[in-house]
Amino acid sequence: MVDTNRPDITPDLLTHRLQDEIHNAHQDNLNLSSTSSQLAYRRSKLESLNTILNDALMMSQIRTKLPNKFARLPILNNAKVQRFLLKIYNFLFKEQRTINLGVIQVVRESISLNQQLSEQTSNLENVLQLINGTLDKRITSLDDRITSLNDRINAVVDNCQSVSNLTVQRITAIETRLGITDRAIQFLEKNYGDRLRYSQADLAQQKRLITLLLEQQNKPNINTHAVTENIAKENDSADQTEKIQSPQELQLDVFYRALEDKFRGEHSQIRERLQVYLPFLQETTLQSCGDPIIDIGCGRGEWLQLLQDKGYRGLGLDINQVMLEQCQDMGLSVIGRDALSYLESLPDESIGGVTGFHIVEHLPFEYLIQIMAESYRVVRPGGIIIFETQNPHNVLVGSCNFYFDPTHKNPIPPELLQFMAQYSGFGTAQIWPLNPSDNPHVLENSDLADRFNELFYGSMDYAVIGIKG
C-alpha cells in the first residue's frame, strides 16, 4: 500500500509502485484458481490503485512549497526567493502536471472500465456456473441412460450370440442331415434309379399287352391263339411306330440300356464328344433349308439333343423301347422303326443327311450295304452322312473293348467302311480318327515307341464322313 502521508513521495516512486501493483495483480490473477478469490483480490488491488492515483493527483497539483531536497540550499532561507523559485518550479512543470492529470484521468477511466468488466465477468461467471451445474446434471443423467442402454445392448448381444450359436448348431445339424439324405438319394439313384425307370417301362409295356388282350377278349369268337397271332402281326408290321414287346424283349432292352450307361459314358460326356461334327454340318445348307437329319440307332438321344440345340431338325430311329421312351421324355422326335425299312419308305433326295453313331458294328454286312445305298438315294445333293464306330487299328479296342457289347457283330476297319460309302456314291468320303486313349503313353523318342503308342494308345474311334455331290 502507498503511504500518502509521507511528504517525501515523488512521481517516480508513484510510477514504479503503480507499475509494480499492476504487474503483481496480473501475476496473482494467473495464480488464483477460484473465481470468488479472484474477484476479492481484484477489488483490493483496484482500491490500492485508486489510493496511488489519489497520491499522484495530489502530486499533480500546484505546489505550495519546494521539495525538501531544496532546503539544503542556504539561499532558500529567504522567503521571497522561495516564492520566486516556487513560481519558476510550478511554471517549468506546468505541462508535466497537465500530462500527469490526463494520464491519471485515463487510468481512472481504465480502472472504472475494468471494474465494470469485472462485474460483468462476475455475472457471466455466475451464469456459467448455473449453466455448468445444469449441464452437469444433464450429463450425469445422460451418462446414467447411456450406462443403462449399454447394459441393455450387452444383454441383447448376449441373446443374439446365444441365438446365433443355437442357429449355427441347428443349421449344422440340418446340413448334416441333408448331406446324409443327399448321399442316400445318390445311392438310391445309382443303385435303383435305372431299375425303377426300367420297371416303369416294363409296367407300361405290360399295361399295353393287357389292354390289347382285353380288347381281343371283348370281340366274339376270338380265341387265345388268334390273339397271339394278332400280337405277332403287329410286331412284324413295318408301319407300327411303337410295337408291343414280349417280356423277354423288354428285359433285353432294359439290359442294353444299363450296358450303355456302364460302357458308353455319361450323357454329357458323349454330347461333348459329338460337337466335333458341328463344323461339317455348318459347311452344308441343312440349317437354312430345314431338311431333316435321320439318326439311325439314336440311343439315349445325345446327338438329337445337340442338333435340336443348334437349330437343326433331327429324327431318331431305334428299336429299343426303353431308349425311345427316354428320348420322348427329353422332348426329342423319335420313332420305333427298322432303319432300312424306314429309309426305303422315303422319296429320293428328300432328307438332309443320315447319321449313325456306334450302330454299323451291330449290323450284318448285307444289311449295312443296303443302308449305305438307301442313304445315298434319300439324301439330297449337298447332304451329309456320318457313321462313327470303334477303331480296330487300336489293338486294345479290336481285341478287347469291342466285345464289351455282346450285340456287336464284328469290328469294321476304317478303310472298309470308307470304301462302302464311296461305293454307294459318296466319292469324297473321308476317315476321321477320334478319341485318342487317355492311358499313359511310352515316352521314348523313337519310331518303335511311336508305332507302339499308335497301336495301343491311338484313336479308339473313327468316323466316315461323306458329302453327296
Side-chain angles (χ1 to χ4, degrees):
M1 185 70 66
V2 178
D3 187 4
T4 58
N5 296 321
R6 290 177 57 186
D8 58 346
I9 192 169
T10 63
D12 293 336
L13 180 60
L14 286 173
T15 300
H16 288 305
R17 287 188 178 181
L18 183 60
Q19 291 176 349
D20 290 339
E21 290 290 341
I22 294 173
H23 177 72
N24 292 334
H26 179 69
Q27 290 296 119
D28 291 338
N29 284 337
L30 295 177
N31 296 329
L32 293 174
S33 58
S34 173
T35 303
S36 59
S37 60
Q38 285 183 3
L39 292 174
Y41 184 77
R42 287 173 184 171
R43 291 191 184 96
S44 65
K45 287 298 182 181
L46 289 174
E47 291 175 359
S48 176
L49 290 174
N50 282 325
T51 301
I52 293 173
L53 289 174
N54 289 331
D55 292 340
L57 182 60
M58 292 177 62
M59 294 287 297
S60 300
Q61 302 299 321
I62 297 175
R63 280 186 174 271
T64 58
K65 68 175 184 176
L66 292 171
N68 293 335
K69 61 183 177 180
F70 287 99
R72 291 176 291 181
L73 298 175
I75 193 170
L76 294 178
N77 292 329
N78 190 321
K80 292 181 177 182
V81 173
Q82 288 182 4
R83 288 194 297 272
F84 178 74
L85 291 176
L86 183 60
K87 290 180 179 181
I88 293 173
Y89 183 86
N90 287 329
F91 178 76
L92 292 175
F93 289 97
K94 181 180 179 181
E95 293 182 357
Q96 184 64 43
R97 287 197 306 273
T98 303
I99 293 172
N100 290 341
L101 289 173
V103 172
I104 290 171
Q105 184 65 27
V106 171
V107 172
R108 283 188 181 278
E109 291 179 358
S110 298
I111 291 173
S112 177
L113 290 174
N114 194 3
Q115 288 176 340
Q116 294 177 7
L117 290 174
S118 295
E119 292 176 358
Q120 292 178 359
T121 301
S122 177
N123 294 332
L124 290 174
E125 288 175 347
N126 293 331
V127 173
L128 286 176
Q129 287 178 354
L130 291 175
I131 293 174
N132 288 334
T134 304
L135 288 176
D136 288 340
K137 292 180 181 179
R138 297 188 64 180
I139 290 172
T140 302
S141 175
L142 288 174
D143 287 339
D144 294 339
R145 293 181 64 184
I146 289 173
T147 302
S148 176
L149 286 175
N150 285 333
D151 294 339
R152 294 177 64 183
I153 289 172
N154 291 331
V156 171
V157 169
D158 293 338
N159 291 335
C160 290
Q161 186 64 37
S162 63
V163 172
S164 176
N165 293 335
L166 181 61
T167 303
V168 169
Q169 293 175 359
R170 290 182 177 178
I171 290 175
T172 303
I174 292 172
E175 289 178 345
T176 302
R177 295 179 64 182
L178 286 176
I180 295 173
T181 304
D182 288 339
R183 289 192 293 272
I185 291 173
Q186 291 175 1
F187 175 80
L188 292 175
E189 288 180 346
K190 180 179 180 181
N191 293 276
Y192 299 103
D194 289 339
R195 293 184 183 180
L196 178 61
R197 185 166 59 252
Y198 304 150
S199 298
Q200 290 174 342
D202 189 10
L203 289 173
Q205 186 71 5
Q206 296 299 329
K207 183 178 179 180
R208 288 191 292 270
L209 285 171
I210 293 172
T211 301
L212 183 60
L213 288 172
L214 290 175
E215 290 177 354
Q216 297 294 339
Q217 287 178 356
N218 291 331
K219 295 179 181 180
N221 301 324
I222 300 295
N223 56 26
T224 305
H225 180 69
V227 171
T228 305
E229 288 182 351
N230 286 336
I231 295 175
K233 289 180 180 179
E234 292 194 18
N235 286 343
D236 293 336
S237 175
D239 295 329
Q240 181 70 16
T241 301
E242 186 179 349
K243 70 174 185 177
I244 304 300
Q245 293 179 297
S246 67
Q248 293 79 12
E249 290 174 329
L250 180 61
Q251 210 169 26
L252 287 176
D253 284 353
V254 171
F255 173 81
Y256 193 77
R257 174 66 174 82
L259 187 72
E260 282 269 311
D261 292 342
K262 178 67 175 178
F263 295 107
R264 175 71 168 140
E266 296 290 337
H267 183 92
S268 59
Q269 181 184 12
I270 301 304
R271 177 186 166 97
E272 182 70 22
R273 289 181 183 175
L274 292 175
Q275 293 192 35
V276 70
Y277 299 110
L278 293 178
F280 296 100
L281 296 183
Q282 293 171 359
E283 295 178 1
T284 68
T285 59
L286 295 178
Q287 195 168 24
S288 60
C289 67
D291 290 337
I293 298 174
I294 306 301
D295 186 34
I296 299 174
C298 60
R300 297 177 300 185
E302 298 95 343
W303 176 242
L304 291 176
Q305 191 178 49
L306 186 60
L307 290 176
Q308 180 176 287
D309 292 344
K310 299 301 179 180
Y312 296 96
R313 290 180 57 199
L315 175 64
L317 304 178
D318 211 302
I319 59 174
N320 186 304
Q321 193 64 35
V322 175
M323 292 187 177
L324 286 173
E325 290 182 359
Q326 180 181 358
C327 290
Q328 289 170 351
D329 291 340
M330 294 165 60
L332 302 175
S333 178
V334 293
I335 56 176
R337 289 286 301 274
D338 173 75
L340 181 58
S341 63
Y342 183 78
L343 291 177
E344 289 175 343
S345 68
L346 296 177
D348 295 348
E349 299 181 352
S350 58
I351 63 174
V354 178
T355 61
F357 299 95
H358 291 266
I359 186 65
V360 294
E361 64 269 24
H362 293 264
L363 306 178
F365 175 73
E366 296 80 2
Y367 190 94
L368 180 56
I369 287 291
Q370 291 178 298
I371 287 288
M372 285 290 186
E374 286 299 315
S375 296
Y376 184 79
R377 181 184 66 82
V378 299
V379 171
R380 66 169 177 78
I384 191 171
I385 61 166
I386 302 174
F387 291 103
E388 178 185 304
T389 185
Q390 290 177 297
N391 184 12
H393 283 327
N394 185 308
V395 175
L396 295 178
V397 172
S399 62
C400 179
N401 297 351
F402 181 84
Y403 299 99
F404 285 160
D405 188 338
T407 63
H408 284 176
K409 297 296 182 181
N410 51 266
I412 303 176
E415 296 79 6
L416 175 58
L417 189 60
Q418 179 189 33
F419 174 76
M420 294 172 71
Q422 292 173 342
Y423 182 82
S424 300
F426 297 96
T428 60
Q430 307 174 59
I431 299 172
W432 283 89
L434 301 166
N435 307 323
S437 174
D438 295 331
N439 294 325
H441 288 43
V442 176
L443 301 179
E444 179 182 340
N445 187 13
S446 65
D447 293 340
L448 181 60
D450 293 342
R451 183 58 177 162
F452 182 86
N453 288 331
E454 181 181 356
L455 290 174
F456 284 86
Y457 306 118
S459 299
M460 296 184 294
D461 303 311
Y462 74 91
V464 169
I465 304 174
I467 305 293
K468 184 173 180 179

